Each structure stands twice: as structure tokens, then as C-alpha cells.
Amino acid sequence: EGRFAAYAQAQAECGAYVIFIAYDGDCRPAANAVRGAGARAIGFGLDWVGQDTGLFGGSAIADPAMAVREAVTDFAQLVPPESRA
């Protein structure tokens, strides 16, 4: 877990104010580094915002299967990726 905290701290020192953290275990050191830097976090796997509104400003993909489903649908409909931005 120490390396995740180091990554979060390094990103904050470079000016990042939103930091992605893999919050799937004891990631308190990384969470504390994000908080200490005055930044917000983005997590994955769940909607973490509801779990800790002070830390998380958003969630990446709450349902990882959704990304696969969307990619297959886009491919079948020939939707270019840049149109989703």
C-alpha cells in the first residue's frame, strides 16, 4: 500500500487535483495522501462517492461490464470512439 500512497503524493506534487486510486483493499495510505494533498479521488468497481463524499469526486466505471458492452455496441453500430467524449 505504501507505493500507492507514493504515487498519489507524486501526482499531487505535479499539480494533479483529481487522482485515480485503486480502492480495493486497505488503501488508507493512498486515501490519506490524496486528502493530505487537498485533492479528490476517483475510484473504480463501485460508486465510491456514496461511500466517502469527502474523498471521492467521482467513480470511473462502477460496472466494468458496461465498458465491454458499450464497446461491442459501438463496434456493431460503427460508432467512432471520439464521438463518446
Side-chain angles (χ1 to χ4, degrees):
E1 284 87 22
R3 72 174 188 265
F4 296 123
Y7 295 154
Q9 183 63 38
Q11 290 176 50
E13 288 172 2
C14 288
Y17 53 89
V18 177
I19 299 170
F20 179 82
I21 59 174
Y23 209 69
D24 60 347
D26 184 10
C27 286
R28 284 176 285 187
N32 290 339
V34 172
R35 279 192 180 98
R40 300 290 298 273
I42 292 179
F44 78 102
L46 299 173
D47 182 3
W48 286 104
V49 177
Q51 302 292 321
D52 189 341
T53 57
L55 176 62
F56 290 94
S59 290
I61 297 173
D63 178 0
M66 185 178 133
V68 174
R69 183 175 52 247
E70 291 296 322
V72 170
T73 300
D74 287 352
F75 180 76
Q77 297 174 0
L78 300 176
V79 176
E82 61 273 6
S83 69
R84 283 211 165 272

